[in-house]
Amino acid sequence: MKGKDFLSISDMADEDITSFMAGAVKLKAQGLPALCDGKTLAILFEKPSLRTRVSFEVAMRQLGGEAIYISPAEVGLGERESVPDVARVLSRYVDIITARTFSHTTVEVLADYASVPVINALSDREHPCQALADFLTIYEKKSKLAGLTLAFIGDGNNIAYSLLLAAALAGMNFHIASPAGYNLKKEMLEVARGYAARSSSKILLTEEPGRAVSGADIVYTDVWASMGQEAESEVRARAFAGYQVDKKLLSQAKADAIFMHDLPAHRGEEVTDDVIDGPQSVVFDQAENRMHAQKALLAKLLGG
Ligand code: CP
Ligand code: NVA
């Protein structure tokens, strides 16, 4: 890691992502190694969660440590108490913090003021823990990362950005199809283009889903309206109408392509039931791997 924290996939820019995945596979096979014995994780969330919360709690327990969940109403981040003060207080009790925030700035301020490591458990900018689990899943299914092609269909959101960075670092080609106005932001692409030049991978931006999935080993989608964008749901549903991953679109990818989604899914919107429940779907392996990838991450950040 670049520093004590994991706020972005960019924090892994100096690491070999493929080696990290190989380590995570070994840890997954070990089950319950006491790598975080006596350590406590604070889970500080401003938004709802099923996978991230439960996978972090169970991961910490399996590593011999403990986790404390602090709900949005309890802490009132930046309302009941300033973000820097919350960071300073929590650092006196726990060994590591994971935070899910609306604004990415909040998780950055937490990290600045905490003396313990801070993990981004999803912000409006990135979801790096999801990308780690996804790349672990891809590594298990395809036995490599470099040279593959991942096609993301939908919003240029937090999931898309973390996947783009991970792909560019790992030497995986990244295609994204989004309607006009919803693609990844220019400054996000600049960072990724630097990584892609280093790893000799390609980035393709298009408005045509068929073009994005052509030759893809992985077809990935996410919700059209993320948490915090509920008021835009109807406008977005209209903009993304031609961006559903259905059987016809999936059939235009490689014959052995896998289908991925970070979940929760809005079935019938970004994906059809026959795709998400179909033979190419690996969505529940991805969900399980949240726990295994985070175990590797926790052990790493806590010096295990
Ligand atoms: N994929 C994911 O982060 O799920 P949750 O929002 O349920 O944690
Ligand atoms: N893009 C989604 C991901 C949920 C895990 C959101 O931010 O709501």
Side-chain angles (χ1 to χ4, degrees):
M1 295 292 162
K2 275 190 183 157
K4 69 175 174 62
D5 308 301
F6 183 60
L7 306 185
S8 163
I9 287 291
S10 284
D11 290 324
M12 289 187 94
D14 300 333
E15 303 219 6
D16 181 344
I17 293 203
T18 310
S19 304
F20 179 89
M21 297 309 155
V25 168
K26 276 194 200 140
L27 195 56
K28 182 171 174 177
Q30 279 177 35
L32 309 171
L35 295 172
C36 297
D37 195 18
K39 306 279 188 193
T40 304
L41 165 76
I43 302 176
L44 181 64
F45 278 15
E46 287 186 328
K47 300 179 186 177
S49 167
L50 172 65
R51 280 146 291 273
T52 311
R53 176 192 171 170
V54 179
S55 61
F56 263 116
E57 285 203 21
V58 178
M60 206 57 194
R61 250 169 244 163
Q62 291 194 0
L63 293 171
E66 286 186 42
I68 299 172
Y69 174 71
I70 307 156
S71 71
E74 278 167 305
V75 69
L77 248 191
E79 285 169 20
R80 183 168 181 267
E81 193 159 6
S82 77
V83 178
D85 283 357
V86 170
R88 288 186 278 226
V89 169
L90 279 179
S91 299
R92 299 291 179 109
Y93 301 131
V94 303
D95 303 282
I96 186 161
I97 299 166
T98 185
R100 170 168 285 199
T101 61
F102 283 99
S103 163
H104 189 73
T105 309
T106 307
V107 77
E108 286 179 334
V109 174
L110 274 172
D112 282 347
Y113 286 88
S115 57
V116 299
V118 173
I119 299 172
N120 178 2
L122 182 147
S123 67
D124 59 353
R125 189 177 171 87
E126 268 201 65
H127 195 0
C129 295
Q130 181 68 50
L132 289 186
D134 298 339
F135 273 54
L136 174 57
T137 311
I138 296 168
Y139 183 72
E140 286 178 329
K141 303 289 175 194
K142 301 283 178 191
S143 307
K144 63 174 186 177
L145 298 174
L148 297 172
T149 297
L150 187 155
F152 186 95
I153 310 300
D155 191 20
N157 62 13
N158 44 8
I159 299 284
Y161 187 41
S162 288
L163 289 171
L164 165 68
L165 292 174
L169 284 173
M172 189 186 288
N173 303 312
F174 183 87
H175 297 178
I176 178 165
S178 311
Y182 292 98
N183 217 317
L184 287 158
K185 293 189 181 58
K186 224 176 153 193
E187 79 272 9
M188 296 178 160
L189 286 162
E190 270 165 29
V191 179
R193 284 197 174 114
Y195 299 154
R198 237 167 55 194
S199 71
S200 307
S201 59
K202 293 194 179 66
I203 299 170
L204 169 77
L205 274 86
T206 174
E207 288 182 26
E208 296 167 38
R211 203 172 151 224
V213 301
S214 172
D217 302 278
I218 301 121
V219 177
Y220 200 122
T221 192
D222 183 26
V223 292
W224 295 335
S226 287
M227 289 181 273
Q229 297 175 330
E230 289 78 7
E232 296 172 36
S233 292
E234 276 180 32
V235 177
R236 283 173 168 267
R238 279 196 294 277
F240 285 93
Y243 290 79
Q244 184 183 65
V245 179
D246 58 13
K247 266 180 134 171
K248 188 167 167 242
L249 185 65
L250 189 59
S251 73
Q252 293 171 55
K254 281 191 183 162
D256 64 351
I258 53 173
F259 170 75
M260 301 184 83
H261 192 307
D262 47 290
L263 304 177
H266 291 174
R267 290 163 176 263
E269 291 182 24
E270 73 273 6
V271 62
T272 54
D273 282 330
D274 54 6
V275 165
I276 197 166
D277 297 327
Q280 287 164 275
S281 174
V282 299
V283 299
F284 298 111
D285 296 323
Q286 274 178 271
E288 179 187 335
N289 276 338
R290 291 296 307 275
M291 183 173 74
H292 302 298
Q294 284 156 204
K295 278 165 87 171
L297 177 70
L298 288 164
K300 189 175 185 65
L301 292 175
L302 288 168

